[in-house]
Amino acid sequence: MDDREIIEMYWQRNEAAIQETDAKYGKLCGYVAKHILVSPEDCEECVNDTYLACWNVIPPRQPDKFSAFISRITRNLALNRFDYLTAEKRNPKAVCSLEELADCVSGRESVESELMEKEIERAISDFLWKQEEEKRNIFIRRYWYFDSIEEISRQTGFQKSRVKSVLFRMRGKLRDYLEKEGIAV
């Protein structure tokens, strides 16, 4: 079943939409959740919460790209669950990935407004689309999916040192790009 049909099922409030979503995107949602959460039970709960969130936001939302839409919901729910579960202790993979980006995008109070967040999102998206696909994919695997350097190396066939080098250079370019866009880093 294609995405338009699934979305239409949500609009019609047909509960089979959840089953179709699970059949088509269950593995993707599980993949996103497992790279943030440790417990399989927490991952499963996060995926189920994703389906509920889709049910609650479609309608009125009409996602353009359903796979990206559902991945983003899963990722945000997993990060919220991660924060809740590990207020004292941190998942080293996720924290390491986010700390690497800290020099490019800070969590200062000045970026708390929704408008500034949207501007940062747009700028990062624009930046990534200007990069070579190979480098863009490495960046997304690391900072969106929280893949380890070893996993990225295995997936791309690159040496770990090359993956680290690509990420280091892209963070520097991103920092420069954001500064040129007038976004304080």
Side-chain angles (χ1 to χ4, degrees), residues 37-150:
L37 302 170
V38 177
S39 162
E41 294 81 14
D42 288 334
C43 292
E44 184 178 341
E45 183 178 338
C46 180
V47 170
N48 289 332
D49 288 348
T50 299
Y51 302 147
L52 177 62
C54 284
W55 184 263
N56 290 333
V57 299
I58 305 173
R61 298 277 310 268
Q62 181 76 22
D64 294 327
K65 185 157 174 63
F66 194 56
S67 60
F69 178 77
I70 199 164
S71 294
R72 184 173 188 175
I73 290 173
T74 304
R75 183 175 188 271
N76 290 340
L77 289 171
L79 287 169
N80 289 342
R81 183 79 176 159
F82 171 78
D83 286 342
Y84 173 78
L85 292 173
T86 59
E88 290 293 317
K89 46 192 174 167
R90 299 289 182 211
N91 175 341
K93 281 186 1 182
V95 171
C96 179
S97 293
L98 294 174
E99 285 175 353
E100 289 173 4
L101 279 178
D103 291 338
C104 300
V105 181
S106 68
R108 289 184 234 146
E109 295 297 316
S110 63
V111 293
E112 289 294 322
S113 75
E114 190 172 325
L115 181 61
M116 186 56 140
E117 288 177 12
K118 293 290 183 197
E119 184 64 24
I120 292 171
E121 287 175 13
R122 182 207 52 79
I124 291 173
S125 180
D126 290 349
F127 167 78
L128 288 174
W129 281 109
K130 292 177 182 177
Q131 305 306 307
E132 296 173 24
E133 182 178 4
E134 182 178 86
K135 292 177 181 178
R136 179 174 60 242
N137 288 337
I138 290 172
F139 191 89
I140 290 169
R141 295 235 64 88
R142 180 68 174 156
Y143 301 117
W144 178 264
Y145 293 109
F146 298 118
D147 284 354
S148 68
I149 301 294
E150 292 77 18

